[in-house]
Every structure is written in structure tokens, then in C-alpha cells.
Amino acid sequence: MFWARLRLFLQRYWLWVAIVALLVVSIVLPIWYMSGMEESVRRYIVGINVASLPWGILQTLVFVGFLYLLQYGGGFARFKKSRVDAGAVSTRFTDVIGLMEAKREAWEIVQLIKDRAVLKKVGGKILHGMLMVGPPGCGKTMLAKAIATEAGVPFMSTAGSEFVEIFVGVGAARVRKLFKQARQYAKAYGACIIFIDELEVVGKHRVFMDAFGGSSESNSTLNQLLVEMDGLTDEDSNIVVVGAMNADEQVLDPALLRPGRFDRKITVGRPNLQERREIFEYYARHIALDPTVDLGRLARKAVYKTPAEIENILKESALIAVRERRDRVTYKDVSAAIERIELGVVHRLNMTPHEREMTAFHEAGHLVVLYLYHPTNDVFKASIVQRGGTLGVVHAVPREELYTSDANTLRAHIKVSLGGYVAEKLKYGVTTDGVSADFSHAMTVAHNMVWRLGMSDEGLVGDFTRIPKEQLSDGLKEKLNNATQRLLQGAMVEVETALKTEGHILERFARELLAREELDYDEIVQIFMEYGKPPKPLPSESSSQPAFPPRPANSIPEGGRDARPPASTAPRPANSIPEGGQDARPSDSPKQT
Ligand code: ZN
């Protein structure tokens, strides 16, 4: 093993070894030779040499400069060196929080790497490539490192973007170099893992019909990758390539997914409630968190958040606590951090009292409808503090991770969106342009329900957006649009009735918002309790959640159901609401496809 590692060292750093050896020889030899001379001659020789030193250096620089110009055509673009981190890592499986399912599959891969010799004897298929798919920030890199650590093999990490170059062949050369290095490591340590992040950057579908050769560079890079992966069948190379990507693997060139290449797949998804709790606990160790903070509640609030986002939230909350000159991070700080990340920093406007009051009624309208009539969402916060481009917000979170929405839920989204409009209308008789974002959301949901999901009362079934608009008859279009409008009208009538019945609650919340500016979940529930309206029970408290709920989305292969959860939490960017947007409801804007 020592000799193998020495060889690896020489292979990697032979140039440095040679330079050092040359320097030593060129210093030691003259000294040894001159020691036999007379004093005056020695001084003479040393003097001449020192005097000519600057000239020598200058000449060398000019020579090297010309060499570069000749070789690289004057451009410095290729000075960029591809970045490959290599070596031992020390991330254990226990350091990867959550991801139970992905860890289980990863463990199997660790075993496969360890039992290669046995596997070879038995004649089983040897693993060469593995794909990790999932949203960014969910711990793919960490899991890959953990596989390397647990299998006890070196870990080489690079990213797809490192192979993207303008010149044809440069990317391919990098791929070659990467695998050459990996083979050296594999020889020295018995096996090696290559981790390629952002695989989709190099692994996109190859383009063959490009008259100008515009894509031949990425094609040649991908081809080289395919060739290298096929070369891994050699007896001596125990190399496993782990590719990670954020997008769906459909964007990859099918050749990459063929047997012998990336034929294993691990989904690294967003953490569920229990996992989020563990992640909060893990990162909370690094900050001085007040012991009264209920991490379970935070985990519920952070539905669909990735581990990286949770870490970011806790770091931000520590900043807030420091700014407020407290030495402990409280629940309020964490809550404020979530809002700052999702909605932007507080940005106070000089509003007239009347405007503030209207905003308060608008938000109270959302709040009451959400709390009383939404089957799956909870209100976590209501505020009339201006942030980014919004004047106020009713912050809703899904009470559990749902992967589908039924018609009732979608109708509830519409009703909540219309709550602000109806409240303004009931209170003042006129409405403001602050409803534009709400309407756009409500319209989107209603349009999807009628045009795409067969949820209209008229019994129109099918996805009519699949058919080009000009192929739909005017009559049908009119029918669809009427159905959409009827859906919205119906929802509005319901909201009107509800808010009229609960007018006193609406009034109360508007006053509370004006007085306190922000209301937290507890405060909101307390007020509703005064009116005899307890909160809906949390699903995690009423029933024990299975760790891995069956995902119905799997049963529909592609393009079918829009897998809602990730997109649905995307906070609406503040600048999408031009001005006077009174609302940014981050949790239930549906994904449009
Ligand atoms: Zn609104």
C-alpha cells in the first residue's frame, strides 16, 4: 500500500518533485565546486552572478510570456483551472439528518462498494453510476460524502459547470483528466468516488442538428463522459460516479441512464415534519436558542423548507437577536427570520390613517376566511407591516405536506384570495387596486379548475389548454370562460355571506391589526376562541403520521399531475406586485404548467 501511495504522489506531483530536485542540485553543486577556489576568485564569481540575476529573471519572464501567447492565442480564458477537490472526507451517515429513505438506499450502495470483490466472484452487476435527484439544498452532496466516508474510499468532487467551455474539446479533456485522476486514486486506495454536481449541465440531451456546430462542445464533453463511464468496466478501476441534479432526470440524455452508466437513482427530497424537527434540533445546537422555543411548532411552520433553508433561517434569527441586543434567540426572532427570508425586509411607507385602516380590513378579510373555511391551510401570521412591495400579509402554511389538492381545497384558495376584496367592499362600499395580486391568484386557480381539471359545475371534462386556442370553437371558449366566472362569483357570494355573518370578528381583527400591526398564530387563535371558534386539530396530533407516506404522484408517470408541493411554497416575489399589492400569500399559489 505504501508503494502504491508513493506512486500516486509521484504521479500527481512529479513536476514539483523534479523542480525541487533541480534547485537542490543547482545550489549544492556550485557551492561544493567553489569551496576549492581562492577567496578573491570566489567573490568575483558570486558578484558577477548576483549582478546578472535581474537580467536572467527578466529574460525568463519574457520567454514564458511569449510561450503562453503562442500556445493560447493571446487569450487568458483557458487559464481557468478546473476545480476538483479530492481526498478523504469525514461525513458520517449520522451527520446526515433526515432523509431516511435516501439513506437506506445509499447504505446499499456503500455495501456494494465494499463487497465488490465478492460481487465479482459471484458474477453480479457492478455498480458504476448513481444518480441523486432532488431540489437544491436537501443534502445531496452531504449524502455522497457520507457514502465515501462509510465505504472508506477517497471522494473527488466537481460540478458540471466546470466542464462548460467555449472551445471544442476543452471540456472533454477535463473529463478525461478527472477520470485519469480517479483511476490513480482508485489504484492507491482500492476504490474512489467521483461526485459530479449539476450533472444536468453536462448531461443535457445531445443536439445533432446544429448547422453551426454551436453545441458540438457540450456534445463532445458528454460523449467523453459516456466513454469514460464505459471504461469503468475494467478489472482494476473501482470507481463509482455519483451524479447529482436538481431537475427531473428527463432532461438527461437517455444514453446516460442506460445500464452500466447512471442506472441507480436516489431521490433526495424535502424533509417531512419529523425530519424538519430533527434538522431544527441539529442546527439549533449551534445557536443560543431560548429553551422555551417550541421546535415542533417551527417545524410545522417551515413546511416544504429544505435543510439549507432551515439552517439559513436559524442563522438569520441569530442576527436578528444580536441586533436587538439579546443573548438568546426567541421564537419571535425565528419567526421574524422566516418572514424576512420569504417576504423581504420591513420597509415602512408613509401611509394615511385611512389607507392603513383599509389594509387592516383587507388582511382581516383574508385571515377570517382562511381560519374558518380553509380545509388544509392554517394562518400563522397576519401583519400590516410593509415589506418589499407588499402592504400587508396573511401568512398561511399547509397543515401537513400534501401532494395533491382536491376541488374543495382549490375553491378554498379562491375564497381566501377574495376575502380581502369582499372585506373592503363590505366595509367601505368601494374597493382598491390592492386586490390585483389576489385576483390574479384567484383567477389562475379558477381557470385551471375549469380549463384543465374538470372541476366546473357545467361538467366540462378535459384539459382544454392542450388544444390550440384557435381550434376551440367560440361557443366552447365562451362556455369555459363563463364557467370560470361563475366559479369566482359563487366563491365570492359564499365569502360575502361568511364575512357578513362573522362581521364582528372581521371588525375585531381589523382593530387588533391596527393596534398591534402583527398577530401571531397564538394571538389569532386566542381571539377566535373568545368567539367560540377553536382551531382545527393538527393532523400530526390527531393521527400518527407514517414516516414515508405513499406518494400517489408516482402512479402517474409523466406530465400528469403537477407535483405541487415544491412550487406551491415559492413566495411570490415582491416585485411581481407593482404597487399597492396588499398581499403576498406565500403558501398557496398553485403551479401552472
Ligand atoms: Zn390581499
Side-chain angles (χ1 to χ4, degrees):
M1 212 51 159
F2 171 74
W3 291 111
R5 287 192 190 171
L6 183 68
R7 215 170 75 202
L8 171 71
F9 181 79
L10 288 177
Q11 273 170 338
R12 298 262 290 137
Y13 305 109
W14 66 269
L15 196 62
W16 288 110
V17 172
I19 288 172
V20 170
L22 208 70
L23 274 176
V24 168
V25 167
S26 64
I27 290 168
V28 170
L29 268 185
I31 289 176
W32 175 72
Y33 186 66
M34 285 195 333
S35 60
M37 290 178 177
E38 264 181 55
E39 175 72 17
S40 60
V41 179
R42 234 169 22 213
R43 277 171 184 252
Y44 174 72
I45 292 175
V46 170
I48 291 236
N49 271 297
V50 169
S52 65
L53 202 61
W55 263 116
I57 292 171
L58 194 68
Q59 278 175 332
T60 316
L61 283 180
V62 169
F63 178 72
V64 170
F66 269 116
L67 212 65
Y68 264 117
L69 284 179
L70 277 176
Q71 200 169 354
Y72 297 115
F76 285 82
R78 288 176 60 172
F79 275 145
K80 191 188 115 192
K81 213 179 153 224
S82 106
R83 189 181 57 85
V84 175
D85 302 325
V89 281
S90 56
T91 310
R92 309 231 63 119
F93 257 50
T94 44
D95 296 330
V96 184
I97 322 145
L99 298 176
M100 291 313 292
E101 203 170 4
K103 259 156 90 177
R104 206 152 44 210
E105 284 174 63
W107 186 247
E108 204 181 309
I109 283 152
V110 171
Q111 295 301 323
L112 281 178
I113 295 172
K114 280 184 169 168
D115 300 341
R116 272 181 108 98
V118 186
L119 196 66
K120 229 175 240 176
K121 231 176 264 167
V122 180
K125 193 161 74 85
I126 286 170
L127 179 79
H128 296 305
M130 190 188 93
L131 199 59
M132 289 188 188
V133 186
C138 285
K140 293 190 287 284
T141 312
M142 237 179 150
L143 191 61
K145 280 185 182 167
I147 291 175
T149 312
E150 298 290 345
V153 299
F155 179 77
M156 296 178 68
S157 141
T158 185
S161 51
E162 298 289 335
F163 302 111
V164 177
E165 285 294 335
I166 309 161
F167 302 104
V168 175
V170 178
R174 292 224 174 112
V175 173
R176 241 188 330 266
K177 197 176 153 204
L178 173 73
F179 276 81
K180 193 178 152 203
Q181 263 186 39
R183 257 180 233 116
Q184 292 168 356
Y185 270 98
K187 263 201 195 110
Y189 291 90
C192 171
I193 285 184
I194 305 179
F195 178 68
I196 307 179
D197 206 359
E198 310 162 20
L199 184 69
E200 66 267 32
V201 177
V202 270
K204 288 184 301 240
H205 280 263
R206 278 169 292 182
V207 188
F208 295 105
M209 305 283 282
D210 194 322
F212 302 100
S215 56
S216 43
E217 158 59 13
S218 56
N219 280 358
S220 77
T221 308
L222 177 55
N223 284 336
Q224 189 61 42
L225 183 61
L226 294 173
V227 167
E228 295 289 350
M229 287 199 74
D230 289 342
L232 298 183
T233 38
D234 297 353
E235 284 293 300
D236 53 339
S237 52
N238 288 341
I239 297 168
V240 178
V241 187
V242 179
M245 58 188 300
N246 302 331
D248 189 27
E249 79 258 32
Q250 311 253 325
V251 302
L252 285 188
D253 196 285
L256 269 177
L257 302 172
R258 245 168 250 154
R261 291 165 183 165
F262 291 103
D263 50 2
R264 279 272 178 144
K265 189 183 135 193
I266 292 185
T267 308
V268 181
R270 286 161 203 275
N272 63 24
L273 180 67
Q274 180 55 35
E275 288 166 349
R276 280 200 305 278
R277 202 198 155 101
E278 284 166 26
I279 294 161
F280 265 111
E281 277 162 10
Y282 180 85
Y283 287 115
R285 272 180 232 149
H286 302 299
I287 60 170
L289 199 67
D290 198 82
T292 58
V293 174
D294 181 357
L295 291 175
R297 204 165 106 201
L298 282 175
R300 274 203 296 273
K301 182 164 179 166
V303 178
Y304 301 139
K305 290 273 180 296
T306 65
E309 284 168 327
I310 290 175
E311 187 187 1
N312 194 20
I313 286 169
L314 284 175
K315 278 184 181 158
E316 184 81 33
S317 67
L319 281 182
I320 293 172
V322 167
R323 200 165 312 139
E324 314 249 306
R325 308 205 172 278
R326 262 181 275 120
D327 54 355
R328 296 233 158 248
V329 176
T330 62
Y331 181 81
K332 280 253 181 214
D333 297 329
V334 184
S335 177
I338 293 178
E339 277 141 41
R340 177 174 298 177
I341 286 165
E342 288 205 334
L343 307 168
V345 283
V346 175
H347 172 73
R348 286 192 190 277
L349 302 169
N350 211 352
M351 286 165 82
T352 64
H354 179 64
E355 271 182 311
R356 270 192 85 224
E357 197 190 79
M358 265 191 132
T359 309
F361 268 94
H362 178 106
E363 299 306 335
H366 286 311
L367 192 163
V368 172
V369 179
L370 177 63
Y371 183 91
L372 293 179
Y373 301 104
H374 203 295
T376 58
N377 283 10
D378 259 342
V379 51
F380 251 95
K381 178 136 197 164
S383 136
I384 55 164
V385 177
Q386 304 106 42
R387 305 168 179 273
T390 62
L391 299 182
V393 61
V394 170
H395 192 129
V397 289
R399 285 188 294 144
E400 58 184 322
E401 286 100 330
L402 294 174
Y403 298 96
T404 57
S405 295
D406 61 14
N408 288 336
T409 307
L410 293 176
R411 224 184 290 268
H413 286 334
I414 297 176
K415 282 193 250 175
V416 173
S417 295
L418 295 178
Y421 172 79
V422 172
E424 287 180 22
K425 206 166 93 173
L426 287 180
K427 176 72 185 170
Y428 301 100
V430 288
T431 57
T432 64
D433 60 358
V435 303
S436 66
D438 295 336
F439 274 10
S440 134
H441 180 224
M443 191 78 174
T444 308
V445 178
H447 182 269
N448 276 338
M449 285 174 74
V450 173
W451 281 71
R452 299 185 50 219
L453 306 171
M455 290 177 178
S456 70
D457 296 333
E458 279 75 0
L460 295 154
V461 175
D463 184 352
F464 296 97
T465 58
R466 285 275 176 191
I467 304 167
K469 279 248 163 82
E470 55 284 359
Q471 283 178 31
L472 288 173
S473 73
D474 285 344
L476 184 58
K477 268 190 272 189
E478 205 186 324
K479 233 171 138 184
L480 284 161
N481 287 332
N482 285 345
T484 309
Q485 188 53 229
R486 235 189 320 270
L487 193 75
L488 289 169
Q489 298 278 358
M492 198 184 71
V493 171
E494 279 183 59
V495 174
E496 261 173 6
T497 324
L499 285 186
K500 263 183 205 154
T501 332
E502 313 293 354
H504 50 298
I505 304 186
L506 177 72
E507 194 88 19
R508 170 80 188 272
F509 272 108
R511 299 280 155 237
E512 294 284 351
L513 275 173
L514 279 172
R516 292 200 247 172
E517 289 206 313
E518 292 195 315
L519 293 174
D520 261 325
Y521 180 72
D522 291 340
E523 297 165 319
I524 293 167
V525 169
Q526 208 183 350
I527 295 172
F528 273 114
M529 291 292 270
E530 287 176 30
Y531 297 91
K533 311 243 183 236
K536 289 156 275 191
L538 283 160
S540 52
E541 286 162 3
S542 57
S543 67
S544 64
Q545 249 184 328
F548 313 114
R551 296 262 306 258
N554 285 346
S555 58
I556 298 169
E558 65 212 45
R561 224 182 274 233
D562 24 18
R564 280 183 67 267
S568 68
T569 45
R572 196 178 295 156
N575 53 14
S576 73
I577 306 158
E579 58 214 19
Q582 275 180 324
D583 193 28
R585 305 194 38 256
S587 32
D588 49 15
S589 52
K591 181 186 171 191
Q592 277 178 282
T593 39

